[in-house]
């Protein structure tokens, strides 16, 4: 039987880190939130509180559950508190070196049986775990945005990941209400490899002059997708989308041929919903 995760440390409190912390805490896990500054972790807790308040208004969560969830979220100022955690999930920037540094630092703090999970969209788990003394405890746990709504978590093992690490990741995400699917340690795993093709073609169509709204409506109504590809890029963040497209092209050993409109928007600070403007405009909530 795999180890039950009762306490979790989340490193990196952006959209994905905060979403993961929210679902784990909602399911009864004690969650510490860590970022480069305590302010950032406290801010993430405040964003989760606001998101839960909206979810309560919509009738998705009860007031008492919301209070219980918030009581289980603990912003922390040092990594020392990770000693107590059964598992650590990092959701820092999509950068191999940054992720490796986080885990190298953790290896000097946590006991050897603390599980180390990475919420990477693209980066090879084998490579992330490569410099570690205990690569067998590293697995990929790839969540989707918005985390409270998306059912899937891809579970990815690297070359030296132990089977028990994967089983523990699967049972933890199941306990948090998600459905795990094992994915190969290849660029984009399953979902982002498929999504890459859709997004690149949507960008090409847009650059050929097809209206953004028309592309989105066609995909929504013709494929029954909940969102069109341009709205989806705005949701994920155009900077994150760009990083994913570049990493996917690199990983597959091909040149990135599209995305001029995307690069221009990122350069102009139009990053999608989070900045209020991307392909489309978003009034402040
Ligand atoms: N508990 C807590 N919060 C909940 C909740 C629950 N049980 N159920 C819903 N919510 C929250 C949501 O988190 C969200 O909160 P917010 O106000 O902070 O944004 C809000 O309620 C919106 O959810 P709704 O269900 O009311 O909204 P819609 O019905 O309009 O659906 C959508 C929105 C879920 C985004 C839908 O359009 C959709 O599924 N779009 C596609 C999303 C997608 O494809 N995501 C994958 C992106 S790719 C990715 O993430 C990979 C990465 O590596 C790049």
């Amino acid at each position: 039987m795999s180890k039950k995760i009762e306490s979790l440390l989340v490193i990196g409190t952006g959209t994905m880190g905060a979403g993961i912390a929210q679902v784990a805490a909602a399911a009864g896990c004690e969650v510490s939130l860590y970022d480069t500054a305590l302010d950032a972790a406290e801010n993430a807790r405040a964003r989760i509180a606001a998101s839960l308040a909206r979810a309560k208004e919509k009738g998705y969560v009860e007031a008492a559950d919301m209070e219980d969830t918030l009581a289980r979220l603990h912003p922390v100022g040092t990594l020392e508190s990770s000693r107590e955690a059964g598992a650590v999930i990092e959701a820092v920037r999509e950068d191999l070196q940054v992720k490796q540094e986080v885990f190298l630092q953790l290896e000097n703090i946590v006991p050897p049986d603390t599980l180390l999970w990475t919420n990477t969209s693209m980066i090879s788990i084998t490579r992330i775990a490569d410099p570690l003394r205990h690569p067998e405890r590293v697995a990929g746990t790839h969540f989707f945005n918005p985390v409270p709504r998306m059912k899937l978590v891809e579970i990815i093992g690297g070359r030296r990941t132990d089977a028990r690490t994967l089983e523990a990741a699967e049972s933890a995400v199941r306990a948090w209400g998600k459905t795990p699917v094992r994915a190969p340690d290849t660029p984009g795993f399953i979902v982002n490899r498929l999504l890459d093709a859709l997004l690149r073609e949507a960008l090409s169509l847009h650059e050929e002059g097809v209206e953004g709204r028309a592309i989105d409506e066609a995909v929504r109504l013709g494929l029954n997708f909940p969102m069109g590809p341009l709205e989806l890029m705005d949701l994920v963040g155009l900077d994150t989308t760009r990083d994913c497209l570049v990493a996917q092209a690199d990983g597959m050993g091909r040149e990135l041929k599209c995305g001029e409109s995307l690069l221009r928007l990122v350069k102009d600070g139009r990053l999608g919903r989070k900045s209020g403007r991307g392909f489309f405009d978003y009034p402040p909530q």
Side-chain angles (χ1 to χ4, degrees):
M1 202 163 96
S2 59
K3 154 169 146 172
K4 184 166 186 277
I5 304 302
E6 281 164 357
S7 62
L8 177 76
L9 171 73
V10 176
I11 301 182
T13 57
T15 305
M16 297 308 287
I20 295 166
Q22 179 179 329
V23 297
C29 197
E30 293 296 328
V31 182
S32 300
L33 289 162
Y34 176 83
D35 213 309
T36 44
L38 182 57
D39 277 6
E42 282 168 349
N43 180 278
R45 191 177 181 280
R47 281 187 283 116
I48 295 170
S51 162
L52 283 168
R54 287 193 295 273
K56 183 169 76 77
E57 262 169 41
K58 292 182 181 178
Y60 295 132
V61 295
E62 300 291 330
D65 294 338
M66 174 180 153
E67 294 306 322
D68 290 348
T69 301
L70 286 173
R72 290 188 206 104
L73 289 164
H74 316 286
V76 293
T78 79
L79 279 178
E80 302 306 310
S81 52
S82 59
R83 281 210 190 96
E84 312 298 320
V88 180
I89 293 191
E90 73 73 24
V92 303
R93 200 148 51 85
E94 276 292 272
D95 179 310
L96 174 64
Q97 210 182 331
V98 174
K99 288 182 186 290
Q100 285 176 334
E101 276 162 16
V102 166
F103 284 141
L104 283 167
Q105 203 182 342
L106 279 170
E107 269 208 321
N108 293 324
I109 301 173
V110 298
D113 64 342
T114 306
L115 297 164
L116 303 181
W117 296 335
T118 168
N119 179 63
T120 177
S121 307
M122 291 278 167
I123 304 175
S124 155
I125 309 306
T126 301
R127 291 183 71 196
I128 292 175
D130 192 45
L132 301 187
R133 292 194 297 280
H134 292 289
E136 70 282 355
R137 57 164 153 180
V138 178
T141 49
H142 181 209
F143 288 77
F144 293 82
N145 186 0
V147 180
R149 269 299 304 268
M150 303 299 287
K151 284 272 169 227
L152 177 68
V153 181
E154 289 179 314
I155 305 290
I156 308 110
R159 198 160 36 83
R160 294 190 287 169
T161 305
D162 193 285
R164 278 169 305 181
T165 304
L166 296 172
E167 283 157 19
E170 282 178 340
S171 62
V173 304
R174 261 198 207 102
W176 302 341
K178 303 297 178 196
T179 303
V181 166
R182 293 246 183 144
D185 192 17
T186 49
F189 314 127
I190 295 174
V191 173
N192 279 348
R193 181 157 163 191
L194 297 172
L195 186 59
D196 176 79
L198 174 74
L199 299 187
R200 279 188 294 116
E201 291 305 332
L203 287 166
S204 297
L205 279 168
H206 192 42
E207 279 154 27
E208 287 162 23
V210 182
E211 247 305 301
R213 299 267 174 215
I215 298 171
D216 279 357
E217 187 152 69
V219 170
R220 273 199 311 271
L221 302 184
L223 293 172
N224 261 3
F225 281 24
M227 280 184 152
L230 303 190
E231 299 177 85
L232 181 58
M233 287 187 260
D234 274 352
L235 172 73
V236 168
L238 298 188
D239 47 348
T240 306
T241 302
R242 173 205 54 198
D243 293 349
C244 288
L245 294 175
V246 169
Q248 188 70 29
D250 281 353
M252 303 301 279
R254 61 168 155 65
E255 201 187 330
L256 180 66
K257 287 214 189 78
C258 67
E260 280 309 314
S261 55
L262 177 75
L263 297 180
R264 219 173 19 250
L265 291 173
V266 174
K267 201 157 158 260
D268 293 345
R270 289 172 58 169
L271 304 181
R273 282 195 191 193
K274 62 186 170 188
S275 71
R277 289 187 88 190
F279 285 105
F280 307 112
D281 290 347
Y282 301 89
Q285 286 193 352

